[in-house]
Amino acid sequence: MKNFALIGAAGYIAPRHMKAIKATQNSLVAALDPNDSVGIIDSYFPDADFFTEFERFDRHIDKKHRAHDGASVDFISIASPNYLHDSHMRFALRSGADAVCEKPLVLNPWNIDGLLELEKDTGQKVHTILQLRLHPGILALRDKVNAQPGDHKHDVDLTYITSRGHWYLQSWKGDEKKSGGIATNIGVHFYDMLQFVFGQLQSNVVHYSAPTKAAGYLEYAKARVRWFLSLDVNDVPEDVRAAGQRTFRSINVSGDEIEFSGGFTDLHTRSYEEILAGNGFGLEANRVAIETVADIRTASPQGRNGDYHPFLG
Ligand code: NAD
Ligand code: HP7
């Protein structure tokens, strides 16, 4: 049984980490969050210690580490706001623990280089949550694409609408300095998935970029992709909205619809299973997606020119 600590324990995604730690028969021994709305911990690990101040958490983790009594923390899971991941991963590695970090791993590619150095110095590892790589529908698509001739290029339309209320722009998620913006915070899932399925990234064009909406074109070794990403419920197709849905995720590959809207909730547990079995995704596995989002963030949008997604209107 491995001992885990969790940073960002009061947030939206934290319970999925608690559930995954429990489901893999491990233990959460300590948690940190400046916000104390963490009663959910009792549903999973009623004996876990909880801290609202980093310094006290640091002292606690350090004490466990230096006791050499088998009770030290083996993994520190990180579910804090995106811009803090880099610092929290460094804390984990320096504390003699491996890190299990949420997406986006970091906001800029050069952060990965510093972490690689620290992995070398400490002998500890960073593992990341890239859960779409474990989605059965995506794995089936990857197998299909890999079985086709190497020079075959698919035409792909990727539409990813996941509605959010007014709170989103008032929270750290709506602050580009903290979240990286919509393409970094939400799009990173599918940019990673696209290169995982379709191979090397060859071209990256941004057509539109706003706080709640973005669109562009990406070309990979095996696909030309028009993408559209939105947090606006009005972008959900009318028939889907009429059925009460606020989310619409679609990948159309050369005319075939790939079903991947469902089956998301257990992928954190699947990620933990793979990490614990030694098959996790490390720092380098994140590089292409992090380069992609950093390039999108700094690009000048080209407007409705070239091969743009039909939802741009
Ligand atoms: P959230 O805002 O609900 O939770 C973040 C938590 O971090 C809050 O409880 C906040 O108080 C805490 N926090 C803020 N500063 C901190 C600090 N200095 N130290 C410790 N904790 C701190 O956000 P969320 O939706 O839970 O997102 C958390 C992370 O998980 C983000 O990186 C996000 O991108 C990622 N996420 C991933 C998925 C996924 O599908 N893999 C889904 C949602 C969120
Ligand atoms: N929801 C909330 O109430 N609060 C939140 O903070 C988030 C969602 P989905 P996930 O918004 O930051 C996605 O769209 O898949 C509500 C991203 N993950 O299924 O869980 C929401 O209004 C993730 O990387 O959300 O998370 C819905 O009612 C990103 O950090 C419901 O929860 C996160 O949004 C489910 O919403 C975010 C993927 O796209 C895989």
Side-chain angles (χ1 to χ4, degrees):
M1 191 172 82
K2 299 289 183 192
N3 287 332
F4 280 76
L6 175 61
I7 299 182
Y12 161 76
I13 206 67
R16 256 183 261 177
H17 288 265
M18 296 178 205
K19 186 176 171 204
I21 293 167
K22 184 129 193 138
T24 52
Q25 270 99 49
N26 295 296
S27 178
L28 181 75
V29 297
L32 168 71
D33 203 300
N35 179 337
D36 61 11
S37 304
V38 287
I40 184 76
I41 294 177
D42 286 356
S43 304
Y44 296 95
F45 298 102
D47 295 327
D49 289 306
F50 172 66
F51 302 85
T52 56
E53 289 172 294
F54 173 77
E55 293 77 1
R56 286 184 164 158
F57 178 70
D58 174 33
R59 186 166 58 198
H60 184 75
I61 300 288
D62 183 57
K63 218 165 144 185
K64 280 181 172 296
H65 183 50
R66 283 182 301 104
H68 298 294
D69 60 359
S72 64
V73 168
D74 304 297
F75 289 90
I76 298 185
S77 297
I78 298 162
S80 51
N82 302 347
Y83 72 112
L84 300 175
H85 291 174
D86 179 52
S87 166
H88 288 153
M89 282 186 275
R90 280 187 272 113
F91 168 72
L93 301 184
R94 284 198 300 252
S95 301
D98 278 11
V100 176
C101 189
E102 267 297 349
K103 50 50 64 177
L105 186 69
V106 286
L107 297 183
N108 289 299
W110 52 87
N111 302 137
I112 295 177
D113 300 331
L115 288 162
L116 282 166
E117 269 181 42
L118 206 59
E119 275 195 339
K120 243 192 242 154
D121 292 352
T122 59
Q124 302 299 143
K125 263 194 75 63
V126 169
H127 313 274
T128 60
I129 303 286
L130 297 174
Q131 81 256 39
L132 284 195
R133 294 190 185 196
L134 302 173
H135 191 292
I138 301 300
L139 287 168
L141 174 62
R142 189 181 196 230
D143 288 346
K144 190 174 153 189
V145 168
N146 283 342
Q148 288 165 338
D151 57 349
H152 183 77
K153 261 198 198 198
H154 285 281
D155 284 308
V156 177
D157 274 350
L158 196 149
T159 317
Y160 208 88
I161 303 161
T162 179
S163 314
R164 295 289 180 267
H166 297 294
W167 66 268
Y168 189 93
L169 290 181
Q170 304 307 317
S171 75
W172 65 265
K173 295 183 183 187
D175 180 345
E176 191 177 283
K177 286 199 186 69
K178 296 185 174 177
S179 71
I182 179 178
T184 302
N185 192 41
I186 312 247
V188 69
H189 286 286
F190 65 72
Y191 309 126
D192 178 68
M193 176 272 282
L194 287 168
Q195 63 90 30
F196 177 69
V197 172
F198 296 110
Q200 201 185 5
L201 176 62
Q202 296 174 337
S203 157
N204 182 352
V205 177
V206 177
H207 292 119
Y208 184 83
S209 177
T212 58
K213 214 173 290 196
Y217 171 85
L218 289 159
E219 189 159 341
Y220 296 89
K222 295 180 178 182
R224 287 176 286 264
V225 183
R226 302 187 296 186
W227 62 269
F228 178 86
L229 171 58
S230 171
L231 302 176
D232 184 349
V233 71
N234 296 308
D235 286 321
V236 173
E238 229 171 277
D239 51 329
V240 178
R241 225 181 323 149
Q245 292 262 54
R246 290 175 52 85
T247 300
F248 179 75
R249 298 183 180 117
S250 154
I251 318 178
N252 191 291
V253 180
S254 299
D256 290 335
E257 197 56 43
I258 310 299
E259 176 43 49
F260 83 124
S261 257
F264 271 74
T265 39
D266 286 334
L267 294 178
H268 276 75
T269 298
R270 285 283 303 113
S271 300
Y272 272 69
E273 285 167 357
E274 294 297 331
I275 289 166
L276 290 157
N279 305 322
F281 301 114
L283 287 170
E284 280 298 351
N286 289 262
R287 193 177 288 274
V288 176
I290 298 301
E291 281 172 355
T292 307
V293 293
D295 288 347
I296 289 173
R297 202 180 310 131
T298 51
S300 305
Q302 300 199 350
R304 289 193 204 98
N305 290 302
D307 211 358
Y308 61 87
H309 192 287
F311 275 41
L312 257 194

